[in-house]
Amino acid sequence: THYLDIVRFDDDLEATGAFDEWAPEKYHEARAISLRRVAGLLETSSASIIIADDNNHLRSMRHALFRLARDNGWAYATIRLDCSQEVAEARNATRSGREKVPAETITQMARDLEPPDPLRMGWERFAVTVSSDQIQEVLNAADRARQAGPPILPEDLEVLQERAREARERTLASKKHALDLALRACVGEVASACAEKLAKRDRATLG
């Protein structure tokens, strides 16, 4: 049995008036409210699954949700509902009034879409793409994420690569330091041997 809590980001777009008059500041205000609602549920909800219902077509949007889940000890999964631009436009054509999305918005979103990339982004390793009638696949993905437990850093390939680079630099710096110490020791030994040889020669000359 799965108990769900859902945060519909469109509710906050409507409440802030972003649907009535598009303005970037209204959109950002609405999204900030939605993210706070998600954070609140992560802290207090007894549900087994919390759904953040939004397009989240940019990777940065999904990563913000991932960080909220991770910081509150929740597992995270990305569920992508597959829908072509043609299907989206056909569905949109049946709508009217405020529910109808401007055609250019659909085109822009299709162009900007950054699908989940679980092979490169470790934090999206439980991403699944399903059609709207595959709810069981959604629940299965949530189960896999929950069984794995809260995500563990590093979250993605870029972080891994950066940390590997830093580790290589530290190793190289350590080797350089060790070589410097060894060279100094060699120079010191040679200098001592030379000084001792010169001292013996001076004593022999004086004698």
Side-chain angles (χ1 to χ4, degrees):
T1 301
H2 296 274
Y3 296 98
L4 307 179
D5 273 328
I6 302 177
V7 175
R8 295 181 176 85
F9 283 44
D10 281 0
D11 292 346
D12 296 312
L13 288 171
E14 184 174 7
T16 57
F19 278 149
D20 298 320
E21 179 184 358
W22 167 252
E25 58 273 15
K26 287 188 177 182
Y27 170 79
H28 292 302
E29 177 190 359
R31 187 164 184 85
I33 293 172
S34 297
L35 290 174
R36 287 197 295 271
R37 290 172 58 205
V38 172
L41 286 175
L42 290 170
E43 293 176 358
T44 62
S45 178
S46 59
S48 57
I49 298 174
I50 296 174
I51 297 177
D53 179 15
D54 191 44
N55 291 319
N56 290 317
H57 59 296
L58 300 180
R59 185 168 292 114
S60 60
M61 294 176 171
R62 300 192 298 274
H63 196 263
L65 292 166
F66 161 80
R67 290 197 306 270
L68 285 177
R70 178 198 65 199
D71 294 346
N72 285 278
W74 282 69
Y76 173 85
T78 298
I79 309 299
R80 178 191 175 201
L81 297 179
D82 189 30
C83 179
S84 67
Q85 182 175 346
E86 292 73 19
V87 170
E89 290 172 344
R91 290 176 177 173
N92 192 51
T94 66
R95 300 176 182 139
S96 60
R98 193 166 54 183
E99 292 184 352
K100 192 166 187 175
V101 179
E104 58 270 21
T105 299
I106 297 177
T107 300
Q108 180 72 37
M109 189 166 292
R111 184 167 54 244
D112 295 343
L113 176 65
E114 296 175 342
D117 190 354
L119 294 181
R120 292 186 63 250
M121 301 296 167
W123 56 273
E124 284 195 308
R125 61 190 179 277
F126 297 113
V128 61
T129 298
V130 299
S131 62
S132 57
D133 60 350
Q134 291 179 295
I135 187 62
Q136 190 56 50
E137 290 296 322
V138 174
L139 297 178
N140 290 343
D143 282 338
R144 289 194 296 273
R146 186 167 56 249
Q147 289 166 8
I152 300 174
L153 289 177
E155 306 98 332
D156 53 45
L157 186 59
E158 282 81 358
V159 175
L160 282 172
Q161 291 174 337
E162 177 64 20
R163 292 189 177 180
R165 184 188 64 78
E166 291 175 353
R168 287 194 298 270
E169 290 181 353
R170 288 194 299 269
T171 299
L172 181 60
S174 177
K175 288 181 178 179
K176 286 182 177 179
H177 181 61
L179 179 60
D180 179 65
L181 292 178
L183 289 174
R184 288 175 182 273
C186 289
V187 171
E189 290 175 2
V190 171
S192 296
C194 289
E196 184 178 349
K197 186 175 181 179
L198 289 172
K200 287 181 178 180
R201 189 180 65 181
D202 289 344
R203 287 196 297 272
T205 301
L206 291 174

